[in-house]
Amino acid sequence: MTTKLVTHPLKTGKLTAMSNVTSITLTGHQVSILEDQPEPGKEDLSAVHLTFDVEHPQKLPSLLATAEELGLIMNRDDAVEISLSLLAMALEDKTAAEIKAVEARLANMIAELHR
């Protein structure tokens, strides 16, 4: 099994990551995929990673120290940019038919929001 790392810059506005304990302000730095290249018939274990820069780092208790829940808050433009980056990496090796199926699902999901 071989893997390949593909990384692209990701520039976002201010995002907020929060737990039930605290919150921090982040900006998107990069999106990467550690591409698994499995043998035919084996499970694809590729993993997509989002990397963020912390705005005004502070010596606070760990965001995860006693966290029971995590949230990531962003504006719509950042949601689009992050989603497009994730989709591009996830669909990179898909067939045209598989991509069309995702496009159709997206169109249906958007239509559902307006019902």
Side-chain angles (χ1 to χ4, degrees):
M1 174 176 75
T2 60
T3 56
K4 178 174 114 178
L5 177 65
V6 178
T7 300
H8 294 282
L10 175 66
K11 178 86 171 126
T12 69
K14 293 180 183 181
L15 312 175
T16 301
M18 60 184 206
S19 73
N20 58 305
V21 179
T22 188
S23 66
I24 55 175
T25 301
L26 311 166
T27 53
H29 173 71
Q30 71 181 20
V31 60
S32 305
I33 185 168
L34 187 56
E35 290 183 339
D36 183 20
Q37 297 171 346
E39 297 173 16
K42 299 284 183 171
E43 182 180 5
D44 183 349
L45 301 175
S46 297
V48 176
H49 301 258
L50 295 172
T51 305
F52 302 97
D53 292 323
V54 176
E55 190 172 294
H56 310 296
Q58 301 172 28
K59 293 189 188 282
L60 296 173
S62 170
L63 179 67
L64 302 175
T66 57
E68 296 174 7
E69 184 176 286
L70 293 175
L72 181 60
I73 300 169
M74 66 193 77
N75 66 38
R76 287 179 184 237
D77 291 338
D78 288 334
V80 168
E81 289 306 312
I82 290 170
S83 297
L84 287 172
S85 294
L86 293 173
L87 271 172
M89 288 190 166
L91 296 176
E92 175 185 34
D93 64 345
K94 302 297 183 195
T95 65
E98 290 170 316
I99 292 171
K100 286 279 186 207
V102 170
E103 290 172 347
R105 284 185 61 203
L106 179 58
N108 288 337
M109 291 172 77
I110 291 169
E112 285 290 320
L113 290 173
H114 296 286
R115 287 187 187 178

